[in-house]
Amino acid sequence: MTAELVRGQNHPLSQVRLEVRVSAGKPIVAGATLSDEQGRVRGVEWVAHPGAPTLPGLEVSRQAAADHRLAFDLDALSEAVHRVSVLLALPSGVGGPVRFGAVAAPFVAVTGLDGSEVASYTVTGLDAESAVVALELYRRQGVWKVRAVGQGYAGGLAELLTDQGLPEAQQLASSINEAVVQGLARSVAPPPSRTPDADRSRQAATSATGGDQPYAAPPQGTPGNVSPPQSPYDASGAQGATAPQTDYPAGPAQADPSAATQASAAGVGGPVDYSHPGRQNAAPPPPPPTAPPTPPGQPALPVAGDATGWSMEERLYNQVWGMFEDLARTTAAYRSAVDFADSRMEQELDKVLSDPRSRIGGQGDAAREAAQAKHAQLVDQARAALDRDLAQLRAESDVVEPALPAAFARWDNPVWHGYRVPMEVPMAVRLGDLRLPESDSLGIPMLVRLPLERGLWIDSGRAGLSDSLADSDELRRLAVDTAVSHAGRLLAIHPAGEFTVHVIDPAGSAASSLAPLVRSGVLDSAPAVGAAGVADVLARLTQRVDLVGMAVRGGVADSLPPDLDTAEQLLIVNDFPHGFDDRAVTQLRYLADEGPAVGVHLMMVADREDAEAYGPLLDPLWRSLLRLTPVPDDHLADPWVGHAWTYDPGLVPPGSQVLDQVLTQVTEARRSWNR
């Protein structure tokens, strides 16, 4: 079972021949240093880097790349070596990013030689740093362990190596960068050959957005009052073709809209090509061919998993985010083309009207008709290109949706009828669908990376909804149903005993909606009611955050009390702020801020207007949470291309028993695990 590490956490290694796999989304440098018992690097011969990639028991990549595989044989290391640090750095002087805050959070996994993951760590929280110690493998009392470090250095490799006690740090950092610059050309794969039809959506997207800009988790991307890049989703996120997770990339460059129109319309009338040449240039191994060869002259059929990645789950994740980006780009190209057509028609009409002689009579009418006809032609061309791209994406969605694993699938997907409690935590979870007005029938799964880096806020109020319900009580009920649906999914996709849910319902108003969680037995205790119940739950979770936080910061995560529940914790709070005094509100804010880093997550079901009495005191709380709605609403903003995405919560179908059946299996698995 894979250990998902947080900063400072360690994990024992049961084997000595290992690989460390790195995925960063942008070309980076990967290396390693050997340290003695005092943590000191004795000389340049104890550093493996692209210029000197091989040491006894250790080999690293020879050039900068978006993905790396570092090989280790810990038994072959010298007896004087007690620690191996895995280093990541951004190459300098090559025109790429100069700080990790501008790229997706690097993902590092320790695996066996067969590719099975032993432990993984997503290096989050970086900003101005250009070099980082991601992991360290260290020997203690004859046993090797791995620790998630995540220590960044704004001064780059020179500062990092100096901190490890290497006198020649500056000279070595310079020689490493020279080796990287010399080998950088070899790290960029040649682009695949493309036909005009095969690349038509990306041509239109490039004209409209100024190029193919990956997301920087969200995501994290993830829309809303979110992050990132991560994507419009989550600041965490994304990666690969992904994103949405953390910080978004800068807005697209402005281009001539007429170019977008011409590019979008260039392939009108030809066959639709469902292949994805733009997704085959990353470092992970390409997906195996799963479709029969396409006859010459016929468009390729869509294939589930048609993206890069180490596993089918990762390939599907990257493919979904590729679909999200394709829909965003093609819609942006269409809107840009329509705006250009409108602007051009206005200019031509203004020119006609500016001459008094042409305002009346046949000449003026002819000019107006010509301007309107040109406008209609440009809009029709743009719409034809959009329809072709949407047809491609719909065909791909029809193939991908049935192939998604439970964590990525809708509740009406047949995969839930064959559900079994998993043995590993998935890389992401589906929280609903995203749509755009031009393609309302096409929904893109909203995938958020795990573990969650932000709390969730299910908004039970009517303020701000584009389609408000008349009955506020019905809206509150749907909000709790949405929370239960998300909580049930999170319970179902985690291994037995690795996810715990707590519920605070001060007035007991959500009893009917919470029934699936209560009657299935997945809750360790009944929902807390009254002020006393609120205080008890918050006190226990606050204490847990304090203990784990101190242990992680002190590097003694293995010294936690043996009776401490190490599972991920989710707190569902309904009807806030009813039953909360000032102390409880402060504790809740503390959990929202500090909890995610140590495995305590918050899901609020609340109407912000109910908490108006607190004024601006709670503004940081609302901003820290990802706002979701119980009904479709276009509140998720995407700064990347300026879209407002409509979020659809994707609830359990009415009358379906799938949630009860899944939660029953989760309960049975937990009982077996506790025996």
Side-chain angles (χ1 to χ4, degrees):
M1 185 179 300
T2 304
E4 299 276 352
L5 303 181
V6 298
R7 181 174 297 176
Q9 186 178 357
N10 59 31
H11 186 75
L13 298 174
S14 58
Q15 46 193 314
V16 294
R17 300 187 67 189
L18 303 162
E19 286 186 350
V20 172
R21 300 185 178 187
V22 181
S23 179
K26 290 285 187 181
I28 63 172
V29 181
T33 60
L34 307 179
S35 307
D36 57 22
E37 196 167 6
Q38 287 73 41
R40 185 170 52 87
V41 179
R42 295 185 177 180
V44 295
E45 68 278 4
W46 276 33
V47 182
H49 55 85
T54 304
L55 297 178
L58 167 62
E59 183 174 2
V60 303
S61 303
R62 299 175 182 269
Q63 59 195 20
D67 298 84
H68 296 269
R69 297 174 69 171
L70 286 63
F72 295 87
D73 185 352
L74 301 179
D75 277 349
L77 297 175
S78 166
E79 287 295 326
V81 175
H82 286 261
R83 180 182 303 168
V84 182
S85 300
V86 177
L87 320 177
L88 306 178
L90 293 170
S92 60
V94 296
V98 296
R99 60 186 187 90
F100 275 108
V103 301
F107 176 77
V108 187
V110 180
T111 73
L113 297 183
D114 59 354
S116 59
E117 283 193 11
V118 178
S120 63
Y121 172 47
T122 301
V123 188
T124 59
L126 300 178
D127 186 13
E129 297 87 347
S130 59
V132 60
V133 178
L135 295 175
E136 63 179 16
L137 312 177
Y138 64 98
R139 178 164 46 193
R140 178 167 296 173
Q141 297 179 349
V143 177
W144 284 95
K145 296 184 178 183
V146 57
R147 174 183 289 124
V149 181
Q151 177 62 54
Y153 296 85
L157 279 173
E159 182 182 354
L160 185 155
L161 295 171
T162 300
D163 190 46
Q164 296 200 353
L166 184 65
E168 307 91 340
Q170 187 65 51
Q171 299 90 324
L172 180 58
S174 300
S175 65
I176 292 175
N177 195 61
E178 291 175 4
V180 170
V181 171
Q182 294 173 5
L184 188 60
R186 299 193 299 273
S187 71
V188 181
S193 59
R194 299 177 180 175
T195 64
D197 284 337
D199 203 27
R200 82 261 181 264
S201 67
R202 287 168 178 79
Q203 290 173 354
T206 302
S207 300
T209 66
D212 182 6
Q213 301 185 19
Y215 290 91
Q220 53 279 245
T222 300
N225 22 20
V226 71
S227 91
Q230 274 160 1
S231 77
Y233 296 36
D234 184 38
S236 94
Q239 318 220 355
T242 114
Q245 7 229 318
T246 39
D247 297 321
Y248 292 90
Q254 297 299 320
D256 181 2
S258 62
T261 306
Q262 295 163 6
S264 300
V268 175
V272 178
D273 188 343
Y274 293 107
S275 64
H276 298 279
R279 301 185 198 165
Q280 301 299 330
N281 55 5
T290 56
T294 303
Q298 297 294 325
L301 296 176
V303 177
D306 184 18
T308 55
W310 300 109
S311 64
M312 176 56 75
E313 179 191 46
E314 185 177 358
R315 292 199 293 269
L316 287 169
Y317 175 87
N318 289 336
Q319 185 172 12
V320 167
W321 281 115
M323 292 166 61
F324 175 88
E325 290 184 334
D326 286 348
L327 180 57
R329 293 191 189 104
T330 192
T331 303
Y334 168 73
R335 293 180 180 180
S336 178
V338 172
D339 289 343
F340 169 73
D342 292 340
S343 175
R344 178 169 179 167
M345 184 177 68
E346 290 178 3
Q347 292 175 5
E348 292 179 352
L349 291 177
D350 288 343
K351 184 178 180 180
V352 172
L353 296 175
S354 64
D355 187 353
R357 294 171 296 179
S358 61
R359 292 182 185 178
I360 59 176
Q363 183 180 358
D365 293 339
R368 291 187 189 91
E369 291 176 0
Q372 292 169 353
K374 184 61 176 178
H375 175 272
Q377 179 186 4
L378 293 175
V379 172
D380 289 344
Q381 288 177 347
R383 185 71 214 191
L386 174 65
D387 289 341
R388 292 185 59 222
D389 292 345
L390 293 181
Q392 171 185 347
L393 288 170
R394 289 191 184 97
E396 186 174 12
S397 178
D398 291 342
V399 172
V400 170
E401 278 286 356
L404 294 177
F408 300 175
R410 292 193 300 251
W411 282 112
D412 58 359
N413 192 308
V415 70
W416 289 107
H417 297 287
Y419 168 77
R420 294 293 182 271
V421 177
M423 298 299 294
E424 295 184 355
V425 179
M427 65 186 301
V429 61
R430 184 174 188 161
L431 294 181
D433 291 341
L434 295 175
R435 307 178 190 275
L436 288 173
E438 291 83 355
S439 54
D440 191 58
S441 62
L442 175 63
I444 305 296
M446 178 178 172
L447 304 182
V448 177
R449 288 297 297 263
L450 291 176
L452 297 174
E453 295 188 1
R454 305 179 66 189
L456 303 177
W457 167 28
I458 315 298
D459 192 352
S460 60
R462 290 184 293 174
L465 289 182
S466 57
D467 184 18
S468 298
L469 294 179
D471 188 351
S472 60
D473 292 337
E474 176 67 8
L475 193 59
R476 292 176 185 271
R477 182 190 65 79
L478 288 174
V480 181
D481 289 346
T482 302
V484 171
S485 175
H486 293 330
R489 180 184 292 269
L490 288 167
L491 282 163
I493 64 177
H494 281 79
E498 293 194 14
F499 198 83
T500 302
V501 175
H502 310 269
V503 179
I504 291 178
D505 184 21
S509 58
S512 59
S513 295
L514 295 171
L517 297 177
V518 175
R519 63 172 171 257
S520 64
V522 294
L523 300 180
D524 288 347
S525 58
V529 296
V534 171
D536 178 63
V537 173
L538 292 178
R540 286 188 284 112
L541 291 179
T542 301
Q543 183 184 39
R544 184 188 186 280
V545 171
D546 288 337
L547 287 174
V548 177
M550 288 188 293
V552 170
R553 288 190 295 271
V556 291
D558 51 355
S559 300
L560 290 168
D563 59 343
L564 182 74
D565 183 6
T566 58
E568 296 279 310
Q569 310 284 313
L570 174 67
L571 172 61
I572 301 176
V573 177
N574 180 50
D575 206 16
F576 176 83
H578 182 83
F580 281 73
D581 56 18
D582 291 344
R583 176 180 174 81
V585 170
T586 301
Q587 290 176 318
L588 193 68
R589 288 186 55 186
Y590 177 72
L591 293 179
D593 293 338
E594 304 296 334
V598 292
V600 177
H601 311 285
L602 182 61
M603 184 184 295
M604 297 272 291
V605 181
D607 180 357
R608 187 169 183 173
E609 292 184 353
D610 291 342
E612 282 185 343
Y614 288 94
L617 177 66
L618 292 181
D619 286 351
L621 173 64
W622 304 119
R623 287 195 297 267
S624 70
L625 304 175
L626 173 60
R627 177 176 176 254
L628 304 176
T629 54
V631 294
D633 185 64
D634 59 350
H635 68 280
L636 292 180
D638 181 1
W640 181 43
V641 287
H643 297 330
W645 292 82
T646 296
Y647 167 75
D648 187 340
L651 300 177
V652 179
S656 174
Q657 300 299 314
V658 63
L659 180 58
D660 291 306
Q661 296 168 3
V662 167
L663 292 179
T664 298
Q665 291 193 48
V666 172
T667 302
E668 293 174 353
R670 293 178 64 181
R671 289 171 181 167
S672 301
W673 179 79
N674 287 326
R675 289 172 184 168

